[in-house]
């Protein structure tokens, strides 16, 4: 198992996603681990992520995208009991892959705040 941490988009995964049919919604499962206190802002990763969401929502409103589920994992029912759970999980539903690609390319999209808020993350395309 790798010890790598991830906060950046994988270009080869985006290329593979481009083959997904255009006329279907996209569901992206997000696993989030918040960064510790940020020295430049004095905010915790959780506070920065809240700021990111506040700034990202207007971008979601300009495309067909919405957070359809958001929660804090609390109990491992199946899996290793000693594994540390992620800080938060959410599912974002996009009307189509075009909406997702528009979002990540929009000028002013606050992705830099998301990256600063997280020490590790996963975004998993689900079909």
């Amino acid at each position: 198992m790798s010890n790598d941490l991830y906060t950046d988009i994988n270009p080869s995964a985006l290329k593979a996603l481009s083959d997904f049919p255009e006329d279907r919604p996209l569901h992206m499962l997000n696993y989030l681990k918040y960064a510790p206190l940020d020295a430049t802002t004095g905010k915790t990763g959780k506070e920065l992520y809240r700021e990111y969401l506040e700034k990202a929502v207007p971008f979601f409103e300009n495309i067909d995208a919405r957070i359809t589920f958001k929660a804090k994992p609390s109990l491992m029912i199946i899996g290793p009991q000693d594994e540390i759970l992620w800080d938060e999980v959410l599912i974002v539903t996009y009307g189509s892959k075009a909406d997702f690609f528009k979002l990540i390319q929009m000028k002013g999209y606050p992705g830099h705040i998301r990256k600063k808020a997280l020490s590790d993350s996963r975004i998993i395309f689900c079909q």
Side-chain angles (χ1 to χ4, degrees):
M1 186 158 147
S2 170
N3 288 328
D4 293 337
L5 302 177
Y6 299 92
T7 57
D8 292 317
I9 292 175
N10 176 342
S12 61
L14 280 185
K15 186 171 178 359
L17 182 61
S18 67
D19 292 334
F20 183 73
E22 184 59 48
D23 60 344
R24 296 186 207 164
L26 240 60
H27 304 283
M28 297 289 193
L29 175 62
N30 292 246
Y31 293 153
L32 310 172
K33 284 188 184 175
Y34 296 127
L37 190 68
D38 179 65
T40 60
T41 64
K43 296 179 181 180
T44 65
K46 186 173 185 174
E47 290 170 323
L48 284 169
Y49 197 79
R50 190 176 315 122
E51 180 181 326
Y52 157 73
L53 284 179
E54 289 171 6
K55 292 183 178 183
V57 165
F59 289 87
F60 281 34
E61 292 171 348
N62 286 325
I63 59 171
D64 185 4
R66 66 197 175 287
I67 296 172
T68 52
F69 178 82
K70 182 175 181 279
K72 178 177 178 31
S74 59
L75 184 62
M76 182 77 72
I77 303 299
I78 297 177
Q81 296 302 300
D82 61 345
E83 185 173 299
I84 297 172
L85 297 173
W86 292 81
D87 292 321
E88 196 158 39
V89 296
L90 56 97
I91 297 173
V92 180
T93 300
Y94 298 88
S96 69
K97 72 177 180 187
D99 290 307
F100 175 74
F101 282 106
K102 281 180 200 170
L103 179 71
I104 63 174
Q105 296 172 5
M106 284 179 158
K107 184 177 178 168
Y109 179 71
H112 63 288
I113 299 173
R114 181 188 188 280
K115 186 173 179 173
K116 187 179 275 201
L118 302 173
S119 64
D120 197 4
S121 68
R122 306 289 185 272
I123 297 180
I124 303 166
F125 165 60
C126 303
Q127 320 188 39

